[in-house]
Amino acid sequence: MTFDKFDLDKRLMKGIAAMGYERPTPIQDATIPLALKGRDLIGSAQTGTGKTAAFGLPILQRLLEGRRGTFRALILSPTRELAVQIDQSLKSYAKHTKLQVLAIYGGVSYGPQEERLKQGVDVIVATPGRLLDHIQRGRIKFKTLETLVLDEADRMLDMGFLPDINRILSYLPSERQTMMFSATMPSEIQALAGKMLLNPEHVQVGLRSSAAVGITHAVYPVSAHLKADLLLAILRETQSPSVLVFTRTKRRADRVEKLLAKSGKKIAVIHGDRTQKQRTAALDGFKQGKYQVLVATDIAARGLDVEAITHVINFDVPGTPEDYVHRIGRTARMAALGDAFTLVSPEEEMLMREVEQHLGHALPRVALRDFKYDTPAPERSIGLQKASVNTPTVKKSFFSPKRPKLPRKK
Ligand code: AMP
């Protein structure tokens, strides 16, 4: 089946064709007809499944049918990077129309965003904080708003955006279409949905909270003090042109960057303490192949769409199983193949078991050939040994009795 069945405006069809989309993905199949009818919906889909077009195309279609140059659709995103990505996708779909899409996010000056707002826009893609700033400065009014999308809702809540979201909701007209997307559906998300949505349709693609398909997972048990050497050895072995390495903290991301500089590979880093300019340069450089390795904290774990990432390496086990799903969702996008490696120190085994319970099965333990796993720790620490695994981000809900049991080891 092609996109023809949705009866979209031919200008949008031209945009889709130029993106190389031939057939709708399952989430698009399920979402587009409902969203075109103006239904509220809650979508739970694996990462990289084509969510942006699933909500973006119906929004653009409905905008084409009404008044132009009036602010009628708002998309909220947890991170600047995801906001930019959604903005770029919508602009591509709408390339042959006169619809104006604007991304609003922090870390850059207000001037150009205010200028564009004055000129009139149809769609705003925003991060909550900067949107509230513009609201307070009186630059944005919501009288004409018709559609709200909350993307990566679970991430928004994890990042502490709930008060901001509630404030934004208080400005919006109650009569509107609302769509909420979340890769995972913890109870907080369901509560938010109950408040925001009216008779929503549920669209679920793939198993709830499941990891993207096409990924080979492997766990490398290793002493904490040898993680850095093992990472270097794995990078040498895989020779992948595009590897995303995750660390649990910003400091560890900076340290891993320094350490990898020895490998002769081109490395970039992305985390919350880098300026927006640095973050954009790192991400663009990685997308264009200028950097072979991007070291990131979880800020980069959700939503980022970089084609052809072949390996995700968790230098540290993520603090929550949901973060594992999101991190590895950066590889194997659109059902390509990818590898997800996790370096696990004995102190992190408990967190790893949480991840396995969440996935419903144990992951294979592997060892790199010829790597000297018994090298003793040096006298002085260089600071990368200790990953504090007792981070408070491990939430009680992860011990929910509903979680599948880990198969017993034979
Ligand atoms: P998303 O989940 O929206 O971030 O999309 C993931 C990737 O899939 C992006 O590179 C999209 O451009 C691409 N994509 C989305 N829909 C389709 C489709 N129907 N056919 C091919 N690629 C698609």
Side-chain angles (χ1 to χ4, degrees):
M1 287 295 249
T2 66
F3 280 90
D4 290 339
K5 64 180 168 183
F6 301 127
D7 219 7
L8 297 171
D9 189 285
K10 56 180 186 311
R11 288 164 289 179
L12 292 179
M13 292 295 280
K14 243 170 121 179
I16 301 168
M19 294 284 282
Y21 300 180
E22 286 169 8
R23 260 165 268 107
T25 65
I27 184 90
Q28 291 163 2
D29 254 333
T31 305
I32 293 175
L34 293 169
L36 281 172
K37 282 192 215 142
R39 291 294 311 258
D40 276 10
L41 58 90
I42 174 160
S44 134
Q46 291 176 350
T47 45
T49 48
K51 242 179 327 134
T52 316
F55 64 74
L57 291 173
I59 286 179
L60 296 171
Q61 174 71 29
R62 283 162 65 90
L63 290 176
L64 280 173
E65 287 162 5
R67 264 174 306 160
R68 305 284 158 79
T70 316
F71 170 40
R72 290 163 60 202
L74 171 66
I75 297 153
L76 287 177
S77 140
T79 64
R80 300 162 188 178
E81 284 76 14
L82 181 59
V84 169
Q85 203 170 284
I86 295 171
D87 173 64
Q88 285 169 351
S89 294
L90 296 188
K91 283 194 169 103
S92 305
Y93 307 145
K95 194 170 164 206
H96 302 283
T97 74
K98 292 203 167 70
L99 293 173
Q100 295 296 318
V101 184
L102 172 64
I104 280 186
Y105 49 86
V108 294
S109 58
Y110 286 84
Q113 293 177 357
E114 290 185 343
E115 202 44 50
R116 288 284 317 279
L117 284 169
K118 262 192 231 152
Q119 288 161 10
V121 293
D122 299 271
V123 187
I124 293 178
V125 187
T127 52
R130 177 56 70 95
L131 182 71
L132 280 167
D133 290 347
H134 279 292
I135 296 174
Q136 264 142 26
R137 289 163 158 242
R139 306 285 186 236
I140 298 183
K141 299 273 184 289
F142 294 96
K143 267 203 312 276
T144 50
L145 188 94
E146 291 168 10
T147 305
L148 167 71
V149 175
L150 208 66
D151 199 14
E152 308 272 3
D154 48 355
R155 188 62 176 165
M156 299 241 203
L157 263 51
D158 284 352
M159 291 173 75
F161 282 136
L162 188 58
D164 284 357
I165 291 170
N166 281 328
R167 277 180 62 203
I168 292 168
L169 285 176
S170 73
Y171 291 102
L172 307 187
S174 52
E175 207 168 297
R176 57 163 200 263
Q177 176 185 30
T178 308
M179 297 186 251
M180 182 161 121
F181 292 88
S182 192
T184 54
M185 289 287 164
S187 52
E188 302 95 303
I189 296 291
Q190 286 167 24
L192 185 64
K195 200 169 96 176
M196 282 178 39
L197 308 171
L198 202 66
N199 280 333
E201 292 277 355
H202 289 253
V203 178
Q204 188 171 319
V205 177
L207 286 176
R208 213 188 258 194
S209 304
S210 61
V213 288
I215 293 177
T216 311
H217 306 250
V219 173
Y220 287 82
V222 62
S223 303
H225 72 277
L226 291 176
K227 275 193 172 187
D229 289 337
L230 183 60
L231 176 62
L232 279 169
I234 291 173
L235 287 178
R236 261 197 309 273
E237 183 97 341
T238 53
Q239 288 299 336
S240 163
S242 191
V243 182
L244 189 51
V245 176
F246 282 107
T247 63
R248 194 168 315 114
T249 66
K250 299 174 216 171
R251 269 183 73 198
R252 287 172 70 78
D254 287 335
R255 293 215 175 113
V256 169
E257 179 197 23
K258 283 209 187 82
L259 175 117
L260 290 183
K262 287 191 224 149
S263 70
K265 296 198 187 287
K266 296 259 183 289
I267 320 286
V269 178
I270 184 166
H271 63 59
D273 279 355
R274 299 274 164 136
T275 63
Q276 187 56 37
K277 216 169 141 199
Q278 289 171 324
R279 283 160 63 164
T280 307
L283 193 61
D284 287 351
F286 186 57
K287 282 185 180 174
Q288 290 153 13
K290 201 163 114 194
Y291 303 114
Q292 293 144 289
V293 182
L294 181 66
V295 185
T297 54
D298 284 291
I299 192 167
R302 313 253 171 159
L304 286 196
D305 178 28
V306 179
E307 265 176 41
I309 291 181
T310 53
H311 291 79
V312 168
I313 302 181
N314 294 313
F315 188 79
D316 299 317
V317 179
T320 71
E322 275 85 357
D323 277 337
Y324 182 88
V325 172
H326 284 286
R327 283 183 181 187
I328 65 164
R330 301 307 100 213
T331 186
R333 291 176 78 75
M334 296 305 293
L337 295 178
D339 287 331
F341 298 158
T342 306
L343 312 193
V344 184
S345 67
E347 299 80 15
E348 292 173 307
E349 273 294 342
M350 205 185 76
L351 281 178
M352 198 62 224
R353 284 180 65 85
E354 285 287 314
V355 170
E356 292 174 311
Q357 283 188 330
H358 186 73
L359 296 174
H361 54 85
L363 300 178
R365 282 349 193 219
V366 295
L368 194 69
R369 236 180 324 132
D370 299 333
F371 184 76
K372 298 204 167 33
Y373 282 94
D374 49 6
T375 309
E379 291 275 299
R380 278 191 51 207
S381 131
I382 57 152
L384 265 174
Q385 287 91 328
K386 284 196 196 114
S388 140
V389 291
N390 300 322
T391 46
T393 40
V394 184
K395 293 183 197 136
K396 271 219 180 72
S397 60
F398 299 132
F399 298 93
S400 139
K402 279 195 198 124
R403 261 165 221 291
K405 287 241 163 59
L406 197 64
R408 278 175 189 280
K409 277 213 179 101
K410 295 214 176 94

